[in-house]
Amino acid sequence: MARRRGLAGLEQVLTELTTDDVSDEPDAALLRAAAAGDADAVALALRAGADIEARDEHRRTALLLAATYDHVAVAQVLVAMGADPDALDDRHDTPWLVTGVTGSVAMLEALLPARPDLTIVNRYGGVSVIPASERGHVDYVRRVVSTGIDVDHVNDLGWTALLEAVILGDGGADHQEIVRILLAAGADPTIPDGDGVTVLQHAEERGFEEIARLLRP
């Protein structure tokens, strides 16, 4: 697979290194290497027979560990070898969902070739753009809205990405830019929260004047 995909470095690891250095059980070695960010050790563990979908005590796969700790090179190896970007752990996180929390555009790009399911939701019922908007991950939001993700998805709290950016944001430059990006991507500012309060009303109540200006018709 590495040869067919033109991944010369990975091919070299898989063909030239020996598995004698894999002193641990291969699945455990794979998970440890993924968490540590050691792409060569990941490839070596796979060559030694590790299950690419092996789970740790929290049901995290190697790819989920790589995404959690933002080890992009490890993720690239695992994606090239067919790792599942939609594997759920015991907190209902997937490798893809984690990128919305970390805000890593590089990891997002590493996972896209695996065609992650953008509709899988986290434990709050949200897609990745929602926590990214809350946390002020401007570059991530700018990139993820171009993937076809539903910018109007409503989570279990009754909040869209726009609502979360205002309700849980600080009203500063980053959250202002996220509101601009979401609106430009077609987000509907008239969708209210579960109590019927609109994002404009929330912005006005919180004194976020620039955001309120952006939201007014």
Side-chain angles (χ1 to χ4, degrees), residues 8-187:
L10 178 55
E11 180 184 353
Q12 181 179 10
V13 171
L14 291 170
T15 56
E16 294 183 5
L17 294 181
T18 71
T19 58
D20 294 340
D21 292 330
V22 182
S23 58
D24 206 349
E25 192 271 333
D27 288 358
L30 171 65
L31 294 167
R32 187 176 62 252
D38 190 337
D40 286 350
V42 163
L44 194 57
L46 290 171
R47 188 182 174 203
D51 177 359
I52 199 168
E53 301 301 335
R55 308 282 184 132
D56 69 5
E57 66 274 17
H58 296 293
R59 295 198 52 76
R60 297 176 297 185
T61 63
L63 186 55
L64 180 48
L65 289 167
T68 298
Y69 299 113
D70 202 29
H71 297 316
V72 175
V74 169
Q76 290 170 331
V77 169
L78 292 166
V79 167
M81 299 304 292
D84 183 3
D86 303 324
L88 287 160
D89 69 359
D90 62 7
R91 288 165 54 88
H92 218 270
D93 279 327
T94 69
W96 174 260
L97 284 171
V98 164
T99 65
V101 176
T102 65
S104 174
V105 177
M107 186 60 69
L108 175 155
E109 299 290 0
L111 294 177
L112 278 178
R115 299 186 178 183
D117 184 347
L118 308 186
T119 68
I120 293 178
V121 298
N122 59 25
R123 61 190 177 279
Y124 303 110
V127 295
S128 71
V129 70
I130 294 180
S133 297
E134 169 207 336
R135 291 165 180 258
H137 295 319
V138 175
D139 291 339
Y140 182 93
V141 173
R142 182 179 290 114
R143 178 64 181 92
V144 82
V145 297
S146 68
T147 64
I149 201 165
D150 181 6
V151 295
D152 285 330
H153 177 87
V154 179
N155 67 14
D156 292 344
L157 300 172
W159 298 343
T160 62
L162 268 176
L163 282 161
E164 192 134 337
V166 173
I167 293 171
L168 298 180
D170 62 10
D174 287 343
H175 287 98
Q176 292 169 22
E177 184 61 18
I178 283 171
V179 169
R180 291 189 189 95
I181 293 166
L182 291 170
L183 291 173

